[in-house]
Amino acid sequence: MASNGSGENLIVCFGEMLIDFVPDVAGVSLAESTGFLKAPGGAPANVAVAVTKLGGHSAFVGKFGDDEFGHMLADILRKNNVNDEGVLFDQHARTALAFVTLKANGEREFMFYRNPSADMLLTEAELNLDLICRAKIFHYGSISLISEPCRSAHMAAMKAAKQAGILCSYDPNVRLPLWPSEDAAREGILSIWKEADFIKVSDDEVAFLTQGDPQEEENVLSLWYDGLKLLVVTDGEKGCRYFTKDFKGKVAGFSVKTVDTTGAGDAFVGALLVSIEKDNSIFENEEKLREALLFSNACGALCTTQKGAIPALPTTEVANELIASAN
């Protein structure tokens, strides 16, 4: 597949895609689990698929192992209409794996196999900068900052996007087991903080980054900086809070039967990026922003109602039905 969608409305997602092995029974430890379902994962890839499921155009930039799992993941991207011009395969490294424990409440714990995995070995020279510079939005996380050469590739891609005037979107997606230490994680995540135009963090991530209560507004605002267009804090089923230079507020969430929270934040981000891509005046128009965040909340909630991230990502129609039924 060559190109999907015109450059004007492309959302390019950069980073990792991996396989999550999820226990077939919730509420058991990895050791107790008798079977695992394999589920495609990796936050930037989930966002890319969330975008296409909502009718947007996306591309994924990242590296897989030249192995069965890597080709399976690339195939999943193509089947979901994600542009794969930025996808590479590494002959010498494996595709990353993660074993995910689903606790009884649907929350997760991770155990990663990456030593090093192919996504970590993406080099600056391998970047498809032409694809990146065709984007309207460039979206990334922080896992790609953990080790070289991927960190340098991430920095170069971000710099190219910024120079081209492309909106930069950042969802740090804190995964502590992958960093050398908590301090290294905090420092690494904050090292590129001021490059972004839009940042989404969870309440847990606010607590981690500020080392304070995420419900205290002054802690959240310590993450604000002049030049940021929008900061969104997701509060799980409670919904989300938003901050721009001119206004702030919160938008209630939806109560659904949660099975697995994997990918909920990615569904939320994908939905919001689709709304921003359609009309970036939402940064200045509070009514439009609230409408977009309600839609994002609906997408995030729906994603928790079934196992796995990508299969659970909703369509626009289903999200609108949830919004209508809640009114």
Side-chain angles (χ1 to χ4, degrees), residues 140 170 172 188-197 199-201 209 222-225 228 231:
Y140 47 86
Y170 185 25
I189 287 163
L190 294 173
S191 70
I192 60 164
W193 201 257
K194 293 188 175 177
E195 304 295 323
D197 298 294
I199 296 173
K200 172 253 160 191
V201 276
L209 292 169
S222 71
L223 296 171
W224 177 266
Y225 69 90
L228 189 57
L231 174 66

Side-chain angles (χ1 to χ4, degrees), residues 251-255 290-291 294-295 298 319-327:
V251 178
F254 293 86
S255 81
R290 290 184 63 86
E291 198 177 314
L294 188 71
F295 181 70
N320 284 333
E321 278 169 18
L322 178 62
I323 293 167
S325 71
N327 282 344

Side-chain angles (χ1 to χ4, degrees), residues 120-267:
M120 299 158 71
L121 300 175
L122 177 67
T123 66
E124 188 178 335
E126 292 172 314
L127 284 174
N128 185 332
L129 289 177
D130 170 61
L131 173 67
I132 290 164
C133 291
R134 289 200 332 253
K136 188 166 177 185
I137 299 173
F138 181 61
H139 175 74
Y140 47 86
S142 70
I143 290 171
S144 41
L145 297 171
I146 297 172
S147 53
E148 292 292 1
C150 188
R151 180 183 166 85
S152 292
H154 180 138
M155 301 306 275
M158 199 166 60
K159 186 177 173 188
K162 283 193 81 70
Q163 284 175 343
I166 293 160
L167 187 97
C168 287
S169 161
Y170 185 25
D171 177 356
N173 258 306
V174 177
R175 295 283 178 270
L176 279 181
L178 294 179
W179 292 87
S181 68
E182 288 200 8
D183 287 342
R186 213 172 275 116
E187 196 180 319
I189 287 163
L190 294 173
S191 70
I192 60 164
W193 201 257
K194 293 188 175 177
E195 304 295 323
D197 298 294
F198 158 61
I199 296 173
K200 172 253 160 191
V201 276
S202 69
D203 48 358
D204 290 345
E205 287 162 346
V206 172
F208 172 70
L209 292 169
T210 67
Q211 296 176 279
D213 179 354
Q215 298 310 317
E216 294 277 335
E217 197 167 286
E218 63 185 313
N219 288 330
V220 177
L221 289 176
S222 71
L223 296 171
W224 177 266
Y225 69 90
D226 281 343
L228 189 57
K229 291 184 165 71
L230 174 64
L231 174 66
V232 174
V233 179
T234 52
D235 289 307
E237 64 281 1
K238 294 201 292 283
C240 65
R241 289 171 280 162
Y242 59 88
F243 303 85
T244 72
K245 65 181 195 311
D246 299 319
F247 47 77
K248 61 183 186 188
K250 57 176 156 192
V251 178
F254 293 86
S255 81
V256 291
K257 190 177 184 323
T258 294
V259 175
D260 175 9
T261 58
T262 309
D266 305 324

